[in-house]
Amino acid sequence: MRAVTGTHTRRLSWWGWGWEDEALGPDEVAGLAALVGPLLRIDGLQARPASRIEDVVLPAPRVRPPAALAEISSDDRRDRAAHAYGRSFRDVVRAFEGVIEHPPDLVLRPRDDAEVAAVLDWCSSQRVACIPFGGGTSVVGGVEPAVGNAYDGAVSLDMRAMGRVL
């Protein structure tokens, strides 16, 4: 997700909590490791950086959106990785390592109830699992699209563009 503040565009971390521009820098991470190591009785604890999104390998999407949904659909690697997990400790560690086992084939961002209905109609007609994605925390694994062979694909229905209740 991107947020525009003035002329600056902010992105949420694809693998963990918070905004990318507020992440700890290398020196801060090293300092944190120096503080935490003795508490955990680990001598010489060394921090390492998260996997780079450019290095994360994802399978090709198994489905393509119909033309009517193309404008709200994304098969971008970063979008798919960011919607593959919630933000529980286990999820954050797997994403940090670059291990994305079940990415959604597409991320769809409807802007109104008609687009939600169109996504659901398309998914049901094409045997595509549709997993709702709100704030993305999902500490119980509810957003992970691990649907096996029961469906021909899986999409993440990102509801963040639906920012109000009417």
Side-chain angles (χ1 to χ4, degrees), residues 72-142:
I72 64 167
S73 299
S74 171
D75 65 359
D76 175 74
R77 174 195 326 244
R78 187 178 206 294
D79 278 344
R80 293 175 65 211
H83 287 78
Y85 296 131
R87 296 300 181 261
S88 70
F89 180 75
R90 178 177 183 259
D91 292 342
V92 169
V93 169
R94 290 187 294 169
F96 181 91
E97 294 289 332
V99 177
I100 310 293
E101 296 167 341
H102 307 286
D105 296 292
L106 300 170
V107 175
L108 294 107
R109 293 182 173 92
R111 299 162 291 198
D112 57 39
D113 58 339
E115 288 179 346
V116 171
V119 169
L120 296 175
D121 288 344
W122 171 68
C123 287
S124 64
S125 72
Q126 299 300 308
R127 292 182 24 93
V128 173
C130 184
I131 294 131
F133 191 96
T137 58
S138 185
V139 296
V140 295

Side-chain angles (χ1 to χ4, degrees), residues 21 25 33 37 39 42 57 62 80 84 97-99 125 155 160:
D21 65 335
L39 294 173
I42 301 173
V57 177
R62 298 168 290 177
R80 293 175 65 211
E97 294 289 332
V99 177
S125 72
V155 299
R160 289 179 283 189

Side-chain angles (χ1 to χ4, degrees), residues 29-30 32-34 37 42-49 96:
V29 171
L32 185 58
I42 301 173
D43 291 330
L45 180 64
Q46 295 291 313
R48 58 188 170 79
F96 181 91

